[in-house]
């Protein structure tokens, strides 16, 4: 591994902040809208995990793909799914990414490289392998990212996928977002190793343990792994340490979460921390960032209104897109 990347330039850091802020503000709005009863849906908040996809996605191009999980709203927004299409999908409307037929747990938007969002723990990885294999066979130089949680690293598909990706040198990066909980269970009660990144050794690939809330470290780790995959040198496992600010699902009383640990994580909120850093280092002014935040707020206002105003799919949509309507010659 070349490990050539060390520090992002000012423009890139500001862009990471923009993506992280979009995710944070979007999450805050989702939670308040669900609370108000305007929209009803199961919602898995990614709040606290913003920096991981924000710092990863700045290395990705239009041809690169991601596979993510029910909590992956942050991964989708960072990859470029327009908030309007996302809100409409979550609301079950015809204008959504999957015509409202995927809903919150199955957002798919190939036009922005979001190839699958899955509720089956561990299943983002074999699908990312398939996309990587297609890129390898076609010689497109595209890279595929599999995002998944710490709990998913105990599922058979994790081990099978890492093994196959290593043997075939697939252009895939496995990014485990270790938010310290799998559903209602603390990390140490379900996972035998202290570091998931150590599991990479079993599959002869680099295993990188990184503070996923540190934008510079995360940017470098993701960038090096993506460069390695694109160069044909094979997969990397990244374990990005983070913290889930809320319970597993919206409405979960989160009584099983350690209160002091949670308080400390929220006080170290990575999004305002990056904001302060940008200003302290002279990369952006207070006024620049305030204007950026206001523009994001308006974009979310519009997305919400668009989702509320859009119609539900007609009954005729029920079986459409499920089976091929015309078989290719
Ligand atoms: C194959 C499978 N087993 C169990 C479940 C139930 N389940 C849903 S979420 C979850 C926890 C996953 O935790 P993690 O991988 O850490 O992701 P996080 O929710 O923390 O982002 C479990 C066990 C499932 N959806 N799929
Ligand atoms: Mg987890």
């Amino acid at each position: 591994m070349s490990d050539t990347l060390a520090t992002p330039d000012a423009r890139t850091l500001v862009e990471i902040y923009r993506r992280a802020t979009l995710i944070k503000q979007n999450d805050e709005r989702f939670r308040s809208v669900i609370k108000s009863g305007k929209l009803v849906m199961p919602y898995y908040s990614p709040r606290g995990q913003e920096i991981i996809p924000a710092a990863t996605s700045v290395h990705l191009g239009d041809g690169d793909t991601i596979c993510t999980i029910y909590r992956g709203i942050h991964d989708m927004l960072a990859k470029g799914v327009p908030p309007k299409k996302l809100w409409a999908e979550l609301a079950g409307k015809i204008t959504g990414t999957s015509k409202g037929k995927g809903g919150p747990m199955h957002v798919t938007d190939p036009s922005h490289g979001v190839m699958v969002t899955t509720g089956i723990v561990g299943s983002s990885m074999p699908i990312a392998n398939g996309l990587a294999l297609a890129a390898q066979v076609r010689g497109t130089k595209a890279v595929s990212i599999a995002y998944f949680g710490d709990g998913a690293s105990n599922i058979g598909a994790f081990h099978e996928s890492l093994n196959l990706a290593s043997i075939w040198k697939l252009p895939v990066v496995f990014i485990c977002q270790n938010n310290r909980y799998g559903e209602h269970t603390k990390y140490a009660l379900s996972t035998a190793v202290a570091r998931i990144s150590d599991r990479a050794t079993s599959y002869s690939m680099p295993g990188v343990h990184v503070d996923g809330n540190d934008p510079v470290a995360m940017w470098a780790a993701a960038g090096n792994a993506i460069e390695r995959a694109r160069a044909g040198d094979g997969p990397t496992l990244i374990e990005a340490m983070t913290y889930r600010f809320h319970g597993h699902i919206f409405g979960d009383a989160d009584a099983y979460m350690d209160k002091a640990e949670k308080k400390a994580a929220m006080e170290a909120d990575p999004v305002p921390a990056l904001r302060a850093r940008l200003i302290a280092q002279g990369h952006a002014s207070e006024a620049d960032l305030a204007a950026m935040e206001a523009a994001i707020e308006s974009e979310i206002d519009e997305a919400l209104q668009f989702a509320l105003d859009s119609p539900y799919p007609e009954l005729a949509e029920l079986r459409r897109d499920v089976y091929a309507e015309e078989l290719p010659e």
Side-chain angles (χ1 to χ4, degrees):
M1 189 156 148
S2 58
D3 276 351
T4 47
L5 296 174
T7 316
D9 58 21
R11 203 179 47 83
T12 305
L13 263 184
V14 171
E15 179 55 21
I16 293 172
Y17 178 71
R18 192 192 66 76
R19 295 185 197 200
T21 300
L22 172 64
I23 296 162
K24 173 177 174 288
Q25 290 182 198
N26 192 83
D27 175 83
E28 285 163 353
R29 188 69 71 87
F30 265 141
R31 285 186 291 110
S32 82
V33 167
I34 298 171
K35 223 182 246 174
S36 76
K38 266 190 205 159
L39 290 177
V40 180
M41 65 181 113
Y43 180 59
Y44 303 86
S45 171
R47 186 73 181 88
Q49 304 180 200
E50 293 89 343
I51 299 295
I52 299 170
T56 299
S57 61
V58 292
H59 296 287
L60 300 174
D62 289 346
D64 297 321
T65 56
I66 69 165
C67 295
T68 187
I69 66 168
Y70 48 88
R71 198 179 304 290
I73 302 285
H74 56 330
D75 304 329
M76 303 163 203
L77 285 170
K79 185 69 177 63
V81 174
K84 270 181 160 180
K85 281 181 78 181
L86 183 65
W87 276 79
E89 185 60 34
L90 268 66
K93 301 297 181 76
I94 189 77
T95 49
T97 52
S98 308
K99 299 187 188 171
K101 295 188 276 185
M105 289 179 80
H106 304 286
V107 175
T108 305
D109 187 5
S111 61
H112 294 92
V114 178
M115 304 309 281
V116 77
T117 297
T118 171
I120 309 296
V121 171
S123 66
S124 65
M125 293 168 268
I127 301 171
N129 268 0
L131 290 157
L133 177 61
Q136 188 184 60
V137 169
R138 291 176 176 152
T140 63
K141 296 282 174 204
V143 170
S144 102
I145 307 284
Y147 288 117
F148 55 97
D150 43 292
S153 76
N154 297 317
I155 295 261
F158 166 88
H159 299 274
E160 295 163 16
S161 301
L162 265 67
N163 186 55
L164 196 73
S166 182
I167 290 172
W168 289 352
K169 279 190 181 290
L170 296 178
V172 55
V173 181
F174 299 101
I175 302 185
C176 175
Q177 305 191 16
N178 186 345
N179 61 12
R180 327 294 169 103
Y181 288 86
E183 231 171 6
H184 311 274
T185 307
K186 254 179 171 288
Y187 178 85
L189 297 175
S190 65
T191 307
V193 284
R195 288 187 171 203
I196 290 168
S197 53
D198 288 349
R199 289 181 163 165
T201 311
S202 309
Y203 305 106
S204 304
M205 72 174 74
V208 181
H209 184 86
V210 66
D211 177 355
N213 287 3
D214 176 336
V216 174
M218 188 64 221
W219 175 86
N224 285 319
I226 290 166
E227 191 181 284
R228 181 181 139 84
R230 222 184 282 289
D233 294 334
T236 300
L237 170 63
I238 296 176
E239 178 184 17
M241 301 307 294
T242 187
Y243 196 84
R244 195 187 73 191
F245 280 10
H246 299 289
H248 173 61
I249 186 168
F250 183 86
D252 165 346
D254 71 25
Y256 53 89
M257 290 177 83
D258 184 311
K259 292 205 170 32
E261 176 193 80
K262 185 174 165 183
K263 186 166 173 276
M266 288 176 105
E267 280 168 5
D269 191 333
V271 185
L274 176 53
R275 187 184 204 279
R277 179 180 189 152
L278 291 175
I279 293 173
Q281 294 181 342
H283 295 326
S285 68
E286 167 65 42
D288 293 339
L289 299 183
M292 175 194 283
E293 290 149 7
I296 290 173
E297 210 55 39
S298 309
E299 194 180 2
I300 296 171
D301 289 341
E302 275 174 37
L304 167 61
Q305 204 50 52
F306 177 75
L308 293 174
D309 293 346
S310 293
Y312 287 106
E314 302 279 345
L315 198 57
E317 283 291 335
L318 194 62
R319 280 175 295 176
R320 193 171 293 152
D321 309 318
V322 176
Y323 300 104
E325 279 168 28
E326 259 181 69
L327 288 174
E329 293 285 306

